[in-house]
Amino acid sequence: MLVANLKAELETEVWQSLDAVTDPELDEPVTDMGFIERIEVTDAKTVKIEFRLPTYWCSPNFAFLMAFGIRREVTSLPWVVEAEVRLNDHCFGEKVNEGVNSGRAYHDIFAEYCDGAKLDEVIGTFLAKAYDRRQETVLLGLQAQGQRPAGIVAMTLAELREVVFTGEEELRQLPRYMDLLAVQGLATDPDDLAFPTWEGQEIDARDLEEHLAKLRSTRINMEFNGALCRGLAKTRYKEVEIGPEGPMLIDFIAGRVPPREKAVATG
Amino acid sequence: MYKTKDGKEIFVLDGHTHFWDGSPENQSNVHGKQFIDCFYAYHTNLSPEEELWEKSKFEKYSEDDIYRDLFVDGPNDMAIIQTTVLRDFYKNGFGNLERANEMARRHPERFIVNGSFDPRDGEKALEYIHFMKETYDIQGVKMYTAEWNGDSKGWALNDPAAYKCFELCDKLGIRNIHVHKGPTIIPLSKDAFSVGDVDYAATDFQNLNWIVEHCGLPRLDDFCWIATQETNVYAGLAVAMPFIHSRPRYFGEVMAELLWWVGEDKILFGSDYAIWTPRWLVEKFMDYQIPDDISAERGGVQLTDEVKEKILGLNAAKLYDIDVGAKMAELAGAPVRIAAE
């Protein structure tokens, strides 16, 4: 038996590790999206995580990726020896759960469901969108500070590091943008340009506006989907009762899905 | 018909409505239950509270309900019923062409009932297209690419079997292809909501009109690029519409994108009834303006009264060869009423 406060502490640690898992379509952490439903540390080395997507029909390949992402982050905690990941109420759930808990590599399992093909192409597509969205936030932030196109497109990584942002969204997205620049090898040296396109091309100052228009479309689509997903996640288990005050929404599995704040608060 | 504050009569042709039976009695399995549950989550998530329905009514509503909600309480002059069959999930189909036609027969002047087919049925799909044309004289079809069919968990518009069906549609004059991109599951290596196949099909079938429902959502950005390049690709507004209530700024951003990329002549209103009812959607839409800052970022596009009139009915009327003046005169002579009430 774990002492209650140690258990809570470890569970909070798990919560925090899951901030690194994103929904590939939305580029938002699964924790922020409210997808993580239950975390239980049974002894000081075993964790069980349950998650649930906004609908039964959410893209199964992304469900797979999130399940494996959860597993990867949780097992990277030094004290975790065993992790069980469970996706609830999903059209591909059984196969996802069987795969993610089998101990086999994700590519092997995945290949069974796509004639040997890999997911790389679709992952690349969505990583490009994530990059565009993060870049747009930083670019708009610089524009708002009065920076001119010529200065922005010529800015180096070292110079970008010196810029002080105050907006909430810029502060959130800047490290995520820099992270992708580094991981993708798009800008690694301090002298590298801070704003290459996803294809690694320099942006001409005259094309900056057009470039921003494209990024804007990507962002609007992602924000729209994010809003829809958050909403659906919230109402998925609610039904309407017509009461004396008119129709109202009742959560018919209230209590089954603990709000995240509660888990963090106990930590 | 919607009447503006200064008395102008606006023709409303609702491009996307359903007459479904998602009741437990009709469900074949858990997928059928999950399908209607998912629709219900859309309904509860995005409707104004006073417009919410109880689950049992949402699962199956009556002929009187649809008539009242669309034409008596609602502003629609006409509505297109889209048939989404889902035969692996529902015993008699979620949508059912015969059942929809039987309902529509009470008011043939107001309904257009679209058929559907599954290209994976091969020869049988071709026979069925002939049957639908001869029996119901269909002018359009609803294609749900995420439909399950045995081991297959989805298909693409540019599959060779689908091309055979579209060739026949072209030959028979079934010109309006409404495409709904749901999540196609296998192979997992592809984007489940990809709209790329619309590009191929629209290029290869120039005589057909490709109306992409939900304006390609959740791939609005990809859809806009495609629609810009293809003259025969249209955006259906179902699912985007209710954001006008819950997230008016997002709605403005989506409309600005569509007006900028796709254009005011190629956007079609759809309520997606019974997920949402058209009355509040149309009222809010007529009162809506894209916020100035959003409009400014997209060359000043705006939902003027002229643009709204096109979106609410005139654009769809063109696709379905409806003479709007004659139709409004005809409907004025046949006022809406429900016999039982």
Side-chain angles (χ1 to χ4, degrees), chain A residues 103-180:
Chain A
R104 291 163 58 206
Y106 122 84
H107 276 304
D108 293 350
I109 293 156
F110 211 79
E112 286 172 22
Y113 300 112
C114 35
D115 318 319
K118 288 189 172 173
L119 191 56
D120 299 7
E121 195 186 325
V122 71
I123 292 176
T125 305
F126 284 89
L127 211 50
K129 292 187 187 210
Y131 177 78
D132 282 357
R133 185 180 181 192
R134 296 177 191 187
Q135 187 183 64
E136 192 214 18
T137 304
V138 182
L139 286 173
L140 291 179
L142 290 172
Q143 269 192 345
Q145 293 185 1
Q147 301 250 22
R148 308 190 60 86
I152 292 175
V153 299
M155 185 175 277
T156 64
L157 203 52
E159 288 165 344
L160 177 60
R161 287 204 182 103
E162 297 299 311
V163 179
V164 179
F165 290 99
T166 49
E168 198 183 319
E169 190 60 8
E170 287 95 316
L171 289 172
R172 183 175 83 97
Q173 293 289 24
L174 180 67
R176 304 179 83 218
Y177 175 63
M178 306 268 258
D179 188 46
L180 260 187

Side-chain angles (χ1 to χ4, degrees), chain B residues 162-197:
Chain B
Y163 267 32
K164 283 201 175 136
C165 294
F166 296 135
E167 276 161 21
L168 181 58
C169 286
D170 192 0
K171 193 174 131 202
L172 297 179
I174 301 166
R175 269 193 232 300
N176 297 314
I177 317 293
H178 293 253
V179 178
H180 175 183
K181 303 298 297 190
T184 46
I185 292 178
I186 303 271
L188 287 176
S189 50
K190 300 283 180 208
D191 171 12
F193 291 98
S194 167
V195 285
D197 55 340

Side-chain angles (χ1 to χ4, degrees), chain B residues 252-264:
Chain B
E253 291 197 304
V254 169
M255 287 312 302
E257 289 296 292
L258 290 172
L259 288 168
W260 171 260
W261 297 106
V262 187
E264 64 190 55

Side-chain angles (χ1 to χ4, degrees), chain A residues 25 56 61 216-217 221 225, chain B residues 31 188 190 219 257 297:
Chain A
E25 243 182 305
Y56 183 76
N61 47 8
R216 178 184 149 83
S217 295
N221 186 57
N225 294 344
Chain B
H31 308 303
L188 287 176
K190 300 283 180 208
R219 299 287 174 269
E257 289 296 292
E297 286 183 318

Side-chain angles (χ1 to χ4, degrees), chain B residues 14 17-20 51 53-76 79 81 99 103 106-107 111 271 273-279 336-341:
Chain B
D14 190 337
T17 68
H18 299 268
F19 187 55
W20 69 56
E51 304 291 344
W53 288 14
E54 282 179 299
K55 183 80 174 287
S56 56
K57 180 185 174 189
F58 189 84
E59 286 169 341
K60 188 178 183 182
Y61 43 92
S62 70
E63 294 189 357
D64 282 350
D65 288 331
I66 187 171
Y67 185 72
R68 183 193 324 104
D69 292 334
L70 299 184
F71 307 114
V72 182
D73 295 345
N76 291 2
I81 302 275
R99 179 171 177 261
M103 179 279 294
R106 288 166 59 172
H107 309 282
F111 284 107
S271 65
Y273 181 84
I275 306 185
W276 301 285
T277 43
R279 185 176 58 86
V336 286
R337 76 175 78 87
I338 291 182
E341 290 185 349

Side-chain angles (χ1 to χ4, degrees), chain B residues 76-336:
Chain B
N76 291 2
D77 292 293
M78 296 182 72
I80 303 173
I81 302 275
Q82 306 288 2
T83 307
T84 308
V85 181
L86 307 177
R87 66 180 173 201
D88 276 21
F89 300 169
Y90 292 95
K91 292 170 193 157
N92 299 313
F94 181 66
N96 177 308
L97 187 63
E98 284 72 30
R99 179 171 177 261
N101 269 288
E102 206 172 293
M103 179 279 294
R105 221 177 9 236
R106 288 166 59 172
H107 309 282
E109 73 285 2
R110 291 191 179 271
F111 284 107
I112 295 166
V113 181
N114 278 350
S116 73
F117 55 82
D118 188 333
R120 294 164 295 187
D121 295 341
E123 282 300 316
K124 280 208 155 40
L126 299 173
E127 282 168 27
Y128 188 60
I129 293 169
H130 277 293
F131 165 83
M132 289 189 295
K133 186 67 191 171
E134 282 156 22
T135 314
Y136 300 111
D137 192 24
I138 58 164
Q139 300 167 64
V141 284
K142 162 88 180 271
M143 302 279 91
Y144 183 56
T145 58
E147 175 133 12
W148 291 15
N149 187 339
D151 286 340
S152 167
K153 304 286 184 260
W155 57 282
L157 297 170
N158 58 337
D159 289 344
Y163 267 32
K164 283 201 175 136
C165 294
F166 296 135
E167 276 161 21
L168 181 58
C169 286
D170 192 0
K171 193 174 131 202
L172 297 179
I174 301 166
R175 269 193 232 300
N176 297 314
I177 317 293
H178 293 253
V179 178
H180 175 183
K181 303 298 297 190
T184 46
I185 292 178
I186 303 271
L188 287 176
S189 50
K190 300 283 180 208
D191 171 12
F193 291 98
S194 167
V195 285
D197 55 340
V198 176
D199 206 357
Y200 291 104
T203 303
D204 291 335
F205 293 94
Q206 296 281 338
N207 284 334
L208 303 181
N209 304 310
W210 300 85
I211 302 107
V212 178
E213 299 299 346
H214 319 142
C215 43
L217 284 165
R219 299 287 174 269
L220 175 72
D221 48 350
D222 301 335
F223 167 73
C224 282
W225 280 103
I226 291 168
T228 310
Q229 291 149 28
E230 307 290 342
T231 53
N232 53 339
V233 170
Y234 295 75
L237 283 184
V239 176
M241 282 305 299
F243 277 79
I244 202 169
H245 163 69
S246 54
R247 304 265 185 161
R249 265 190 77 83
Y250 280 146
F251 181 74
E253 291 197 304
V254 169
M255 287 312 302
E257 289 296 292
L258 290 172
L259 288 168
W260 171 260
W261 297 106
V262 187
E264 64 190 55
D265 295 316
K266 292 163 69 183
I267 303 172
L268 273 57
F269 165 68
S271 65
D272 226 338
Y273 181 84
I275 306 185
W276 301 285
T277 43
R279 185 176 58 86
W280 67 270
L281 290 173
V282 171
E283 282 172 2
K284 283 182 193 281
F285 184 68
M286 286 305 295
D287 287 339
Y288 187 85
Q289 289 286 289
I290 298 173
D292 288 341
D293 60 317
I294 294 173
S295 160
E297 286 183 318
R298 279 292 181 230
V301 293
Q302 192 46 274
L303 287 167
T304 61
D305 281 357
E306 289 71 32
V307 172
K308 286 173 180 166
E309 201 174 354
K310 285 182 178 180
I311 292 173
L312 284 176
L314 301 184
N315 292 341
K318 266 189 203 156
L319 297 183
Y320 282 85
D321 293 326
I322 293 160
D323 177 336
V324 173
K327 177 55 82 173
M328 284 179 88
E330 177 196 346
L331 295 177
V336 286

